Amino acid sequence: MNDMVLQKLEGGLLTITMNRPERKNALNPDMVAGLVEAARRAADDPEVRAVLFKGAGGSFCVGGDVKSMAAGRAPLPFEVKMANLRRGMEVSRILHQMPKPVVAQLDGAAAGAGLSMALSCDLRIASESCKITTAFAKVGFSGDYGGTYFLTQLLGSARARELYLMSPVLSAKEAYAIGMVTKVVPDAEIDAAAHELALSLAQGPSIALGFIKRNINNAEHLALEDCFDGEAIHHTRCSDTEDHKEAAKAFVEKRKPTFKGA
C-alpha cells in the first residue's frame, strides 16, 4: 500500500486521502501513482458505492510539487515527460467517468492540479477558510489534470478564461457564488459534513446514481437524440432493480427506503 495515499472502505464509502501533510499534499510521482491505483480500485471494486476524496493535515492539495520541479534534476525527453504526465492524469478521468458518486473535501487550499482533480469530482464541499485557485499561469504552466475541460464544462468558457488567465485566489464563498463548489461549511465542521454527504450517497440507490452520472457526462458531448436514448435505456434498467422496487414500496408505506445497491 502506498503510504502517500490512504484508503479506507467503510459502509460502502471509500475514503481516499492524499497523505503528504508536510507539503500540503503537493503531488509527486509516488503520490500520483497511488492516486491512480486508488481511483481504479474505487471504479472496479463492487464493494465501493461512493468515494470521499480528501487531503491530510487540513489541506486538500496545492498541485504539483514546485519545489521538487525546481530542484535541477536531469531533464527527461519530451516524450517521456508527456507520457508520465498523461499517465498520472488518469486519476481525473477515472473519478469523472466511474459510475459512482465522488465527493471532494476542500480545506486549506485547492490549487493547480489539486483543483483540477477536485473539479473532476461530482460534488465539492469546502471549508470557509479554503483558498481556491487555478495557479498554473503563475508558475508558467498552461494547466493539466483536466482542469480546463472540467472548469469550462462547469462554468463556461468566459469564466474559465478569467480563472486560468488571471489566476485569482478565491475564497470558498466566492467559489460557491460562481458555482465552483457545492457547499461551504465552517472549518470545524468540514470533516463531518463531507463524510455525511459522501456516506449518504454510498447508502443511496447505487445503480440509479451511476446512470444519473453517465447521463450528465453524456450531455457534455452527445447529441440530444443520443442523450434521450441513453436516458431511456438507463431509466428502463433502473425499473428492474431491487432498489427501485424498495423505493416504490417505501413511498407507499410512507417510510425512508433502505437501498442495497442492487
Side-chain angles (χ1 to χ4, degrees):
M1 183 73 71
N2 187 325
D3 62 4
M4 291 188 183
V5 178
L6 308 179
Q7 301 180 49
K8 180 182 179 182
L9 177 60
E10 188 173 17
L13 176 63
L14 179 67
T15 301
I16 299 173
T17 305
M18 294 174 282
N19 189 37
R20 290 187 77 205
E22 74 285 355
R23 298 289 299 134
K24 295 186 178 179
N25 303 312
L27 300 172
N28 68 6
D30 288 339
M31 177 182 279
V32 168
L35 287 174
V36 173
E37 185 275 330
R40 285 186 176 138
R41 182 260 178 106
D44 296 340
D45 188 343
E47 296 299 314
V48 175
R49 297 174 61 181
V51 176
L52 175 60
F53 188 30
K54 60 188 289 189
S59 192
F60 182 68
C61 175
V62 295
D65 194 335
V66 178
K67 185 179 291 186
S68 174
M69 296 175 195
R73 295 172 298 178
L76 295 171
F78 173 85
E79 291 79 7
V80 174
K81 288 195 292 184
M82 190 177 77
N84 288 343
L85 177 59
R86 186 63 184 82
R87 197 158 41 240
M89 288 167 62
E90 281 294 282
V91 62
S92 293
R93 183 192 65 77
I94 297 168
L95 292 175
H96 183 66
Q97 292 183 342
M98 74 168 68
K100 302 169 186 183
V102 184
V103 176
Q105 175 183 322
L106 308 185
D107 41 7
L115 176 58
S116 298
M117 292 188 295
L119 292 170
S120 78
C121 300
D122 301 298
L123 302 171
R124 286 156 293 282
I125 182 167
S127 63
E128 284 182 337
S129 67
C130 184
K131 300 302 181 184
I132 297 170
T133 180
T134 59
F136 291 107
K138 292 182 177 178
V139 292
F141 279 129
S142 56
D144 58 19
Y145 282 71
T148 53
Y149 173 85
F150 298 122
L151 199 56
T152 301
Q153 293 289 341
L154 185 66
L155 302 180
S157 63
R159 185 69 80 175
R161 291 173 201 275
E162 174 189 341
L163 295 176
Y164 266 85
L165 294 173
M166 299 171 65
S167 197
V169 177
L170 304 179
S171 69
K173 289 184 178 179
E174 288 171 329
Y176 174 78
I178 63 173
M180 190 184 292
V181 301
T182 310
K183 186 178 182 181
V184 178
V185 299
D187 291 1
E189 299 175 16
I190 184 64
D191 285 317
H195 185 267
E196 181 181 0
L197 174 59
L199 186 61
S200 71
L201 293 168
Q203 295 174 343
S206 299
I207 294 172
L209 295 182
F211 283 145
I212 288 170
K213 183 168 177 176
R214 185 177 298 178
N215 287 341
I216 295 170
N217 285 348
N218 284 346
E220 294 174 342
H221 63 90
L222 293 183
L224 177 62
E225 290 294 329
D226 294 325
C227 288
F228 274 25
D229 288 343
E231 283 191 345
I233 291 168
H234 301 150
H235 186 93
T236 303
R237 287 179 176 171
C238 286
S239 69
D240 292 328
T241 64
E242 293 303 315
D243 280 345
H244 167 67
K245 295 171 186 175
E246 161 64 8
K249 184 178 179 182
F251 179 82
V252 172
E253 297 173 356
K254 295 182 172 56
R255 60 174 176 82
K256 184 178 179 180
T258 301
F259 296 115
K260 298 180 180 180

